[in-house]
PDB file of all heavy atoms in Angstrom:
ATOM      1  N   ASP A  38     -13.717   8.310  -6.886  1.00 97.00           N
ATOM      2  CA  ASP A  38     -14.126   8.062  -8.273  1.00 97.00           C
ATOM      3  C   ASP A  38     -15.503   8.667  -8.501  1.00 97.00           C
ATOM      4  O   ASP A  38     -16.503   8.166  -7.963  1.00 97.00           O
ATOM      5  CB  ASP A  38     -14.175   6.554  -8.535  1.00 97.00           C
ATOM      6  CG  ASP A  38     -14.392   6.225 -10.005  1.00 97.00           C
ATOM      7  OD1 ASP A  38     -15.012   7.030 -10.716  1.00 97.00           O
ATOM      8  OD2 ASP A  38     -13.959   5.139 -10.438  1.00 97.00           O
ATOM      9  N   PRO A  39     -15.606   9.753  -9.271  1.00 97.00           N
ATOM     10  CA  PRO A  39     -16.919  10.418  -9.425  1.00 97.00           C
ATOM     11  C   PRO A  39     -17.959   9.534 -10.083  1.00 97.00           C
ATOM     12  O   PRO A  39     -19.157   9.654  -9.798  1.00 97.00           O
ATOM     13  CB  PRO A  39     -16.595  11.629 -10.298  1.00 97.00           C
ATOM     14  CG  PRO A  39     -15.292  11.308 -10.963  1.00 97.00           C
ATOM     15  CD  PRO A  39     -14.528  10.445 -10.008  1.00 97.00           C
ATOM     16  N   ARG A  40     -17.542   8.576 -10.921  1.00 96.00           N
ATOM     17  CA  ARG A  40     -18.504   7.681 -11.541  1.00 96.00           C
ATOM     18  C   ARG A  40     -19.165   6.778 -10.509  1.00 96.00           C
ATOM     19  O   ARG A  40     -20.391   6.552 -10.574  1.00 96.00           O
ATOM     20  CB  ARG A  40     -17.812   6.829 -12.595  1.00 96.00           C
ATOM     21  CG  ARG A  40     -17.236   7.606 -13.758  1.00 96.00           C
ATOM     22  CD  ARG A  40     -16.355   6.690 -14.592  1.00 96.00           C
ATOM     23  NE  ARG A  40     -15.258   6.132 -13.789  1.00 96.00           N
ATOM     24  CZ  ARG A  40     -14.426   5.185 -14.207  1.00 96.00           C
ATOM     25  NH1 ARG A  40     -14.550   4.682 -15.415  1.00 96.00           N
ATOM     26  NH2 ARG A  40     -13.469   4.746 -13.418  1.00 96.00           N
ATOM     27  N   VAL A  41     -18.386   6.309  -9.573  1.00 97.00           N
ATOM     28  CA  VAL A  41     -18.935   5.469  -8.509  1.00 97.00           C
ATOM     29  C   VAL A  41     -19.855   6.291  -7.612  1.00 97.00           C
ATOM     30  O   VAL A  41     -20.986   5.866  -7.302  1.00 97.00           O
ATOM     31  CB  VAL A  41     -17.798   4.860  -7.669  1.00 97.00           C
ATOM     32  CG1 VAL A  41     -18.363   4.099  -6.466  1.00 97.00           C
ATOM     33  CG2 VAL A  41     -16.951   3.908  -8.519  1.00 97.00           C
ATOM     34  N   VAL A  42     -19.378   7.457  -7.203  1.00 97.00           N
ATOM     35  CA  VAL A  42     -20.184   8.321  -6.330  1.00 97.00           C
ATOM     36  C   VAL A  42     -21.519   8.668  -6.983  1.00 97.00           C
ATOM     37  O   VAL A  42     -22.588   8.561  -6.362  1.00 97.00           O
ATOM     38  CB  VAL A  42     -19.400   9.586  -5.972  1.00 97.00           C
ATOM     39  CG1 VAL A  42     -20.286  10.564  -5.205  1.00 97.00           C
ATOM     40  CG2 VAL A  42     -18.155   9.241  -5.160  1.00 97.00           C
ATOM     41  N   GLN A  43     -21.489   9.066  -8.237  1.00 97.00           N
ATOM     42  CA  GLN A  43     -22.716   9.472  -8.933  1.00 97.00           C
ATOM     43  C   GLN A  43     -23.667   8.299  -9.124  1.00 97.00           C
ATOM     44  O   GLN A  43     -24.881   8.444  -8.970  1.00 97.00           O
ATOM     45  CB  GLN A  43     -22.361  10.109 -10.273  1.00 97.00           C
ATOM     46  CG  GLN A  43     -21.655  11.463 -10.134  1.00 97.00           C
ATOM     47  CD  GLN A  43     -21.020  11.917 -11.423  1.00 97.00           C
ATOM     48  OE1 GLN A  43     -21.255  11.383 -12.498  1.00 97.00           O
ATOM     49  NE2 GLN A  43     -20.169  12.946 -11.319  1.00 97.00           N
ATOM     50  N   ALA A  44     -23.119   7.139  -9.448  1.00 96.00           N
ATOM     51  CA  ALA A  44     -23.987   5.963  -9.663  1.00 96.00           C
ATOM     52  C   ALA A  44     -24.688   5.556  -8.373  1.00 96.00           C
ATOM     53  O   ALA A  44     -25.887   5.237  -8.384  1.00 96.00           O
ATOM     54  CB  ALA A  44     -23.160   4.809 -10.213  1.00 96.00           C
ATOM     55  N   LEU A  45     -23.962   5.575  -7.271  1.00 96.00           N
ATOM     56  CA  LEU A  45     -24.576   5.198  -5.995  1.00 96.00           C
ATOM     57  C   LEU A  45     -25.559   6.255  -5.532  1.00 96.00           C
ATOM     58  O   LEU A  45     -26.616   5.909  -4.965  1.00 96.00           O
ATOM     59  CB  LEU A  45     -23.491   4.962  -4.937  1.00 96.00           C
ATOM     60  CG  LEU A  45     -22.564   3.767  -5.182  1.00 96.00           C
ATOM     61  CD1 LEU A  45     -21.571   3.640  -4.035  1.00 96.00           C
ATOM     62  CD2 LEU A  45     -23.350   2.476  -5.355  1.00 96.00           C
ATOM     63  N   GLU A  46     -25.268   7.516  -5.759  1.00 96.00           N
ATOM     64  CA  GLU A  46     -26.213   8.582  -5.393  1.00 96.00           C
ATOM     65  C   GLU A  46     -27.488   8.466  -6.209  1.00 96.00           C
ATOM     66  O   GLU A  46     -28.602   8.642  -5.667  1.00 96.00           O
ATOM     67  CB  GLU A  46     -25.568   9.942  -5.591  1.00 96.00           C
ATOM     68  CG  GLU A  46     -24.525  10.291  -4.547  1.00 96.00           C
ATOM     69  CD  GLU A  46     -23.890  11.639  -4.788  1.00 96.00           C
ATOM     70  OE1 GLU A  46     -24.077  12.204  -5.901  1.00 96.00           O
ATOM     71  OE2 GLU A  46     -23.198  12.127  -3.877  1.00 96.00           O
ATOM     72  N   ALA A  47     -27.383   8.136  -7.489  1.00 95.00           N
ATOM     73  CA  ALA A  47     -28.566   7.974  -8.325  1.00 95.00           C
ATOM     74  C   ALA A  47     -29.399   6.799  -7.847  1.00 95.00           C
ATOM     75  O   ALA A  47     -30.643   6.850  -7.835  1.00 95.00           O
ATOM     76  CB  ALA A  47     -28.151   7.778  -9.788  1.00 95.00           C
ATOM     77  N   TRP A  48     -28.742   5.720  -7.469  1.00 95.00           N
ATOM     78  CA  TRP A  48     -29.442   4.540  -6.955  1.00 95.00           C
ATOM     79  C   TRP A  48     -30.152   4.858  -5.638  1.00 95.00           C
ATOM     80  O   TRP A  48     -31.303   4.467  -5.431  1.00 95.00           O
ATOM     81  CB  TRP A  48     -28.434   3.417  -6.770  1.00 95.00           C
ATOM     82  CG  TRP A  48     -28.926   2.165  -6.122  1.00 95.00           C
ATOM     83  CD1 TRP A  48     -30.015   1.429  -6.489  1.00 95.00           C
ATOM     84  CD2 TRP A  48     -28.354   1.500  -5.006  1.00 95.00           C
ATOM     85  NE1 TRP A  48     -30.138   0.334  -5.667  1.00 95.00           N
ATOM     86  CE2 TRP A  48     -29.142   0.354  -4.740  1.00 95.00           C
ATOM     87  CE3 TRP A  48     -27.242   1.756  -4.203  1.00 95.00           C
ATOM     88  CZ2 TRP A  48     -28.843  -0.531  -3.713  1.00 95.00           C
ATOM     89  CZ3 TRP A  48     -26.946   0.865  -3.170  1.00 95.00           C
ATOM     90  CH2 TRP A  48     -27.744  -0.246  -2.933  1.00 95.00           C
ATOM     91  N   GLN A  49     -29.472   5.578  -4.758  1.00 95.00           N
ATOM     92  CA  GLN A  49     -30.084   5.945  -3.488  1.00 95.00           C
ATOM     93  C   GLN A  49     -31.283   6.855  -3.680  1.00 95.00           C
ATOM     94  O   GLN A  49     -32.282   6.768  -2.952  1.00 95.00           O
ATOM     95  CB  GLN A  49     -29.044   6.612  -2.588  1.00 95.00           C
ATOM     96  CG  GLN A  49     -27.973   5.658  -2.106  1.00 95.00           C
ATOM     97  CD  GLN A  49     -26.728   6.330  -1.584  1.00 95.00           C
ATOM     98  OE1 GLN A  49     -26.657   7.562  -1.511  1.00 95.00           O
ATOM     99  NE2 GLN A  49     -25.715   5.544  -1.245  1.00 95.00           N
TER     100      GLN A  49
END
Side-chain angles (χ1 to χ4, degrees):
D38 189 332
R40 297 169 301 172
V41 174
V42 173
Q43 291 166 12
L45 293 182
E46 287 179 347
W48 174 53
Q49 291 162 4

